[in-house]
Amino acid sequence: MDLGAITKYSALHAKPSGLILQYGTAGFRTKAEHLDHVMFRMGLLAVLRSKQTKSTIGVMVTASHNPEEDNGVKLVDPLGEMLAPSWEEHATCLANAEEQDMQRVLIDISEKEAVNLQQDAFVVIGRDTRPSSEKLSQSVIDGVTVLGGQFHDYGLLTTPQLHYMVYCRNTGGRYGKATIEGYYQKLSKAFVELTKQASCSGDEYRSLKVDCANGIGALKLREMEHYFSQGLSVQLFNDGSKGKLNHLCGADFVKSHQKPPQGMEIKSNERCCSFDGDADRIVYYYHDADGQFHLIDGDKIATLISSFLKELLVEIGESLNIGVVQTAYANGSSTRYLEEVMKVLNHFCFLALFSTAVEMKIKQSAEQLEDKKRKAAKMLENIIDLFNQAAGDAISDMLVIEAILALKGLTVQQWDALYTDLPNRQLKVQVADRRVISTTNAERQAVTPPGLQEAINDLVKKYKLSRAFVRPSGTEDVVRVYAEADSQESADHLAHEVSLAVFQLAGGIGERPQPGF
């Protein structure tokens, strides 16, 4: 490790005095002008992680659904997963080190993690379409090269595409080709094979309006659409040609405001979806005949997919269990439907599909079964191939959903009618320091500050079929509030009252939360 060269280059990417950042599940995120030193240092850290794991490591420059003025960075571990928690701590420590402490921190990390500094290192880099991303990506490259690491800069990618590249490179190409064409071909081939088996005819199930949040998803979906155009026609909105990234559009906006994005006209019962800024989130929605907006979020997406997988497993005679892992935000109606109607295992986190061993078993089944069962097994194989198993992926999820709707002959209204969501409301409360909030039980109960959870419990008792929880944002000094109840009015009142409790007990700043949405 050439400490002299590191010190020299670090001075070119100087840390602003007094700036403290925390690496969370979303990596680092803040105003773009404060991130140059962080990017350089994450290039250094990626090289150390690559040397330690003897694997390719990814670095993604993005702030996802944050405003265009922000940016961020996160590291991708060898199988496309999030950075290991112990290395998140190293990332925070390195990012916040003063210039004179940089050498010591790097040596401490290397010694603590038993990094062989003679080991080769390889880092792949991707970025979103923010104006600041190209320059910040170059700062990452500076960090990689000063530590002697090799790199490949993929340039503009969705976040899930970078996860895919890392996974492919570290599995010797068995998962797929580590190129953008490889990604397009892998997903599109599986989608086209699936939709060929759909019994429905005409265009009623095969066209989709897509809000791309003025982000990278538009660029990549436009590049990809000719690969699957025989199975699906997509019409892109908020494609980046005008309008700001994530401004009045995108999955987060649609979900939070319960209305369509700006710039998209929706006819009755048209199927629509929104990506977020880096295309790792997706929500569906439509207007009914009365003009009422209907949101179809991750709960119903998980229900659609898991129910279809269960049907196929029954068809081929496999007795495998399916577990749907949900976040704390999962609507109570979805949890009851999964447990009581579908009889699936339920845990709080995210949708779990198949382990590698199960995947291999399904693929072997396709070769050994009689025709009817072989067809079902082949569908399962294509569904597995269609999922980007390295990360949550809006493009991949969209194709899975569209294939299942086509195969089952479902309209968007029929999908939505699987169960009725309890009315809910999500709010944000600005606080001086989000770290005053700590939680337990999958983020559904507040541990600190004292008295907050008791106040929430008392408020929940006032409403029927209600629940509420609060959690700190991973990226900004706000506390997120979620409430649901038997009516929208009750959910709105509960959310407001919980917001007031947060404001009073957790150091709220600015204007007190006001009723009305």
Side-chain angles (χ1 to χ4, degrees), residues 13 35-47 57-62 72-75 123-127 133-147 149-153:
H13 301 279
L35 282 169
D36 179 57
H37 74 291
V38 174
M39 298 294 175
F40 171 74
R41 295 176 184 197
M42 290 307 99
L44 298 174
L45 191 70
V47 170
I57 296 296
V59 180
M60 184 69 199
V61 178
T62 183
V73 60
K74 64 178 180 179
L75 274 63
V123 177
V124 292
I125 302 160
R127 67 178 189 270
S133 289
E134 185 171 5
K135 182 175 183 295
L136 292 175
S137 185
Q138 184 57 52
S139 299
V140 174
I141 292 171
D142 288 350
V144 172
T145 54
V146 76
L147 260 187
Q150 300 297 307
F151 72 92
H152 180 81
D153 182 7

Side-chain angles (χ1 to χ4, degrees), residues 24-177:
T25 55
F28 290 113
R29 287 187 198 170
T30 189
K31 297 297 181 187
E33 60 264 28
H34 299 320
L35 282 169
D36 179 57
H37 74 291
V38 174
M39 298 294 175
F40 171 74
R41 295 176 184 197
M42 290 307 99
L44 298 174
L45 191 70
V47 170
L48 294 182
R49 181 63 169 157
S50 178
K51 288 175 180 289
Q52 190 228 21
T53 60
K54 300 179 182 178
S55 304
T56 295
I57 296 296
V59 180
M60 184 69 199
V61 178
T62 183
S64 188
H65 57 274
N66 279 36
E68 189 175 274
E69 296 76 19
D70 292 354
N71 216 318
V73 60
K74 64 178 180 179
L75 274 63
V76 180
D77 254 1
L79 295 182
E81 73 271 52
M82 294 190 301
L83 185 63
S86 62
W87 281 76
E88 290 185 5
E89 294 177 14
H90 296 326
T92 298
C93 187
L94 185 59
N96 293 325
E98 298 302 330
E99 289 296 327
Q100 65 270 20
D101 298 324
M102 275 279 291
Q103 292 187 12
R104 176 185 58 79
V105 172
L106 287 169
I107 292 171
D108 285 350
I109 294 170
S110 300
E111 291 178 350
K112 184 175 182 180
E113 298 294 344
V115 176
N116 177 5
L117 295 175
Q118 305 308 311
Q119 174 69 39
D120 290 340
F122 198 85
V123 177
V124 292
I125 302 160
R127 67 178 189 270
D128 69 11
T129 55
R130 293 166 194 270
S132 60
S133 289
E134 185 171 5
K135 182 175 183 295
L136 292 175
S137 185
Q138 184 57 52
S139 299
V140 174
I141 292 171
D142 288 350
V144 172
T145 54
V146 76
L147 260 187
Q150 300 297 307
F151 72 92
H152 180 81
D153 182 7
Y154 279 100
L156 293 167
L157 288 181
T158 70
T159 295
Q161 286 172 344
L162 184 73
H163 284 256
Y164 167 88
M165 302 304 175
V166 173
Y167 193 16
C168 289
R169 284 177 176 268
N170 288 318
T171 52
R174 292 188 301 276
Y175 182 68
K177 295 179 182 177

Side-chain angles (χ1 to χ4, degrees), residues 321-345:
N321 288 325
I322 291 181
V324 177
V325 191
Q326 296 185 309
T327 70
Y329 289 102
N331 193 276
S333 290
S334 74
T335 304
R336 280 188 288 275
Y337 180 85
L338 288 167
E339 291 178 341
E340 298 172 11
V341 179
M342 287 187 56
K343 309 292 185 184
V344 301
L345 305 173

Side-chain angles (χ1 to χ4, degrees), residues 298-309:
D299 297 337
K300 278 198 173 137
I301 291 172
T303 301
L304 175 74
I305 296 169
S306 56
S307 62
F308 184 68
L309 291 173

Side-chain angles (χ1 to χ4, degrees), residues 9 73 134 193 241 277 350 359 399 417 449 455 469:
Y9 270 85
V73 60
E134 185 171 5
E193 287 296 318
S241 58
F350 52 83
E359 179 180 345
L399 294 176
F469 66 88

Side-chain angles (χ1 to χ4, degrees), residues 360-370 373-374 377-378 381:
M360 293 302 298
K361 186 175 182 181
I362 294 301
K363 292 192 175 188
Q364 289 167 2
S365 295
E367 300 170 359
Q368 298 169 355
L369 299 170
E370 61 221 46
K373 290 184 177 180
R374 187 181 297 118
K378 186 63 178 175
E381 182 180 337

Side-chain angles (χ1 to χ4, degrees), residues 122-412:
F122 198 85
V123 177
V124 292
I125 302 160
R127 67 178 189 270
D128 69 11
T129 55
R130 293 166 194 270
S132 60
S133 289
E134 185 171 5
K135 182 175 183 295
L136 292 175
S137 185
Q138 184 57 52
S139 299
V140 174
I141 292 171
D142 288 350
V144 172
T145 54
V146 76
L147 260 187
Q150 300 297 307
F151 72 92
H152 180 81
D153 182 7
Y154 279 100
L156 293 167
L157 288 181
T158 70
T159 295
Q161 286 172 344
L162 184 73
H163 284 256
Y164 167 88
M165 302 304 175
V166 173
Y167 193 16
C168 289
R169 284 177 176 268
N170 288 318
T171 52
R174 292 188 301 276
Y175 182 68
K177 295 179 182 177
T179 64
I180 194 64
E181 290 79 16
Y183 171 91
Y184 294 154
Q185 290 167 0
K186 178 181 173 70
L187 270 60
S188 297
K189 179 183 177 182
F191 175 76
V192 171
E193 287 296 318
L194 278 168
T195 52
K196 279 180 182 177
Q197 301 178 62
S199 58
C200 58
S201 59
D203 294 330
E204 62 267 34
Y205 305 121
R206 303 299 180 87
S207 62
L208 177 67
K209 289 185 172 180
V210 185
D211 159 35
C212 297
N214 290 314
I216 184 66
L219 177 65
K220 296 304 173 182
L221 197 53
R222 183 160 283 129
E223 289 177 359
M224 184 181 183
E225 61 180 324
H226 75 273
Y227 286 89
F228 60 75
S229 56
Q230 68 189 85
L232 177 67
S233 171
V234 292
Q235 187 177 0
L236 307 188
F237 295 83
N238 298 312
D239 63 357
S241 58
K242 57 183 179 179
K244 293 179 67 175
L245 177 70
N246 294 321
H247 181 62
L248 302 178
C249 59
D252 195 56
F253 172 85
V254 171
K255 183 172 176 62
S256 298
H257 292 81
Q258 302 273 318
K259 65 180 182 181
Q262 189 176 71
M264 180 189 283
E265 293 294 326
I266 303 178
K267 297 177 183 176
S268 174
N269 297 321
E270 276 189 319
R271 198 169 63 259
C272 309
C273 70
S274 285
F275 296 174
D276 69 343
D278 64 341
D280 67 354
R281 296 186 185 186
I282 187 171
V283 295
Y284 271 69
Y285 46 92
Y286 68 99
H287 275 157
D288 64 22
D290 297 324
Q292 181 72 32
F293 177 81
H294 293 259
L295 178 72
I296 302 178
D297 62 8
D299 297 337
K300 278 198 173 137
I301 291 172
T303 301
L304 175 74
I305 296 169
S306 56
S307 62
F308 184 68
L309 291 173
K310 188 172 183 180
E311 289 171 13
L312 292 179
L313 287 169
V314 170
E315 182 72 25
I316 65 174
E318 290 286 356
S319 57
L320 300 171
N321 288 325
I322 291 181
V324 177
V325 191
Q326 296 185 309
T327 70
Y329 289 102
N331 193 276
S333 290
S334 74
T335 304
R336 280 188 288 275
Y337 180 85
L338 288 167
E339 291 178 341
E340 298 172 11
V341 179
M342 287 187 56
K343 309 292 185 184
V344 301
L345 305 173
N346 187 34
H347 307 280
F348 279 86
C349 198
F350 52 83
L351 177 65
L353 285 175
F354 295 97
S355 68
T356 303
V358 173
E359 179 180 345
M360 293 302 298
K361 186 175 182 181
I362 294 301
K363 292 192 175 188
Q364 289 167 2
S365 295
E367 300 170 359
Q368 298 169 355
L369 299 170
E370 61 221 46
D371 287 346
K372 186 177 180 182
K373 290 184 177 180
R374 187 181 297 118
K375 182 179 179 181
K378 186 63 178 175
M379 284 188 188
L380 267 172
E381 182 180 337
N382 284 321
I383 287 285
I384 292 167
D385 286 343
L386 190 46
F387 264 103
N388 180 355
Q389 295 181 61
D393 185 340
I395 294 175
S396 168
D397 291 349
M398 178 193 79
L399 294 176
V400 171
I401 291 163
E402 292 300 315
I404 293 173
L405 292 177
L407 287 163
K408 292 178 70 67
L410 289 176
T411 65
V412 68

